[in-house]
């Protein structure tokens, strides 16, 4: 026996899953930051060509993040369902 | 009465779950910020549309005889919050620019002696003929205002990006 409580290994595994999700969300968010920087630069230069493409790309990134969030809720739900 | 001790209400998370809960909450927060960034990006779309609409407006800036060669006239374009400068470089040569420095938005002024548009805040300078940066910290040329001259009157009709 290693003295660990039951479920501790499961908790660690879920922590790893959440860590992976967090890194993915962070990467997508950094892409969004890059996009908004481009949009700002374009706006300050009195151009209006990149605002819409960056807005759409940022929306796609947000949708990806929402999907990842849903997966996070699924991980939570599995924990609650466990007897 | 439940069997849960009172202190558990103040400390509802087991230490083993600490990493899990903090990472989960941070991820949720990141998604929220991601949504805010998306909305922020939408602001530039709306602002761009508004400016494109405003630039369709043609306004009279000055009469030709009003500004001597080497002289300037300040005006507002495309909205009342946007200072602009009209410069008469030669008898038949006119240029107009947004009057905000592209560095930190200080008002720029024209120096007829040097033929440059100068920013007094950080010693930035632009070429009066083209608006391109000559020296100093400005990252971009001055946005140029398109002029239309008819019957001795000068009109502004749009802004050209740098």
């Amino acid at each position: 026996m290693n003295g660990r409580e039951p479920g501790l290994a499961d908790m660690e595994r879920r922590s790893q899953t959440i860590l992976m999700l967090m890194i993915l969300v962070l990467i997508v968010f950094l892409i969004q930051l890059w996009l908004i920087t481009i949009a700002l630069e374009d706006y300050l230069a009195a151009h209006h060509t990149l605002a819409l493409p960056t807005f759409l790309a940022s929306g796609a990134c947000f949708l990806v993040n929402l999907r990842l969030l849903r997966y996070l809720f699924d991980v939570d739900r599995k924990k609650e369902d466990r007897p | 009465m439940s069997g849960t001790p009172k202190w558990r209400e103040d400390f509802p998370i087991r230490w083993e779950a600490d990493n899990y809960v903090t990472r989960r909450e941070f991820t949720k927060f990141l998604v929220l910020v991601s949504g805010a960034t998306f909305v922020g990006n939408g602001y530039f779309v709306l602002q761009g549309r508004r400016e494109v609409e405003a630039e369709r407006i043609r306004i009279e800036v000055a009469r030709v005889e009003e500004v001597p060669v080497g002289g300037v006239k300040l005006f507002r374009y495309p909205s009342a919050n946007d200072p602009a400068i009209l410069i008469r470089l030669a008898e038949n040569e006119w240029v107009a620019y947004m009057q905000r420095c592209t560095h930190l938005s200080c008002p720029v002024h024209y120096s007829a002696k040097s033929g440059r548009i100068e920013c007094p805040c950080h010693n930035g300078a632009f070429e009066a003929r083209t608006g391109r940066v000559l020296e100093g910290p400005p990252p971009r040329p001055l946005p140029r205002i398109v002029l239309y001259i008819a019957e001795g009157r000068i009109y502004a009709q749009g802004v050209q990006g740098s």
Side-chain angles (χ1 to χ4, degrees):
Chain A
M1 277 185 66
N2 59 7
R4 282 179 156 191
E5 287 185 35
L8 191 60
D10 180 52
M11 180 63 74
E12 278 177 7
R13 202 179 59 245
R14 276 205 312 272
S15 281
Q16 292 299 318
T17 311
I18 294 288
L19 181 66
M20 199 183 69
L21 275 175
M22 191 179 83
I23 291 169
L24 283 175
V25 170
L26 194 62
I27 289 169
V28 176
F29 173 63
L30 287 176
I31 293 170
Q32 278 189 295
L33 276 186
W34 176 65
L35 289 169
I36 202 169
T37 309
I38 291 173
L40 175 66
E41 185 70 19
D42 194 54
Y43 170 71
L44 289 175
H47 288 293
H48 309 293
T49 48
L50 288 177
L52 191 61
T54 53
F55 174 67
L56 295 176
S58 186
C61 288
F62 180 51
L63 287 178
V64 169
N65 273 347
L66 279 180
R67 183 68 194 87
L68 291 171
L69 183 71
R70 193 173 162 187
Y71 182 68
L72 185 145
F73 283 129
D74 286 347
V75 171
D76 259 0
R77 203 170 297 124
K78 274 178 200 161
K79 178 188 133 194
E80 283 161 14
D81 290 347
R82 197 165 285 125
Chain B
M1 202 176 152
S2 71
T4 313
K6 187 77 178 155
W7 61 267
R8 176 55 81 189
E9 289 172 19
D10 295 329
F11 303 97
I13 301 164
R14 296 177 66 87
W15 73 264
E16 300 93 339
D18 208 27
N19 270 348
Y20 174 75
V21 173
T22 49
R23 286 170 189 175
R24 185 189 62 189
E25 293 307 309
F26 182 63
T27 308
K28 285 179 185 173
F29 175 72
L30 270 183
V31 176
L32 184 74
V33 177
S34 162
T37 310
F38 170 54
V39 173
N41 222 322
Y43 169 80
F44 295 116
V45 176
L46 292 177
Q47 199 68 13
R49 287 255 166 93
R50 204 177 62 89
E51 284 186 11
V52 167
E53 289 292 318
E55 283 163 15
R56 288 191 188 135
I57 303 163
R58 180 192 287 184
I59 63 159
E60 186 183 328
V61 176
R63 287 192 306 278
V64 169
E65 68 272 14
E66 218 178 302
V67 185
V69 174
V72 300
K73 184 175 181 185
L74 302 180
F75 62 104
R76 305 263 167 177
Y77 186 82
S79 77
N81 297 321
D82 301 308
I85 183 169
L86 171 75
I87 306 166
R88 187 171 194 177
L89 296 171
E91 188 61 34
N92 291 315
E93 194 176 0
W94 299 81
V95 286
Y97 299 99
M98 301 305 290
Q99 209 202 348
R100 287 200 190 110
C101 179
T102 53
H103 177 220
L104 290 176
S105 298
C106 287
V108 293
H109 64 84
Y110 174 63
S111 166
K113 201 171 121 191
S114 62
R116 310 190 315 173
I117 298 170
E118 294 169 346
C119 176
C121 292
H122 303 98
N123 297 323
F126 304 86
E127 191 178 52
R129 211 167 291 277
T130 60
R132 75 183 173 93
V133 180
L134 292 175
E135 63 183 47
R140 289 176 295 275
L142 285 173
R144 189 175 184 145
I145 294 171
V146 180
L147 296 174
Y148 171 77
I149 304 168
E151 296 169 359
R153 291 172 193 275
I154 300 155
Y155 300 90
Q157 53 171 27
V159 180
Q160 270 180 350
S162 48

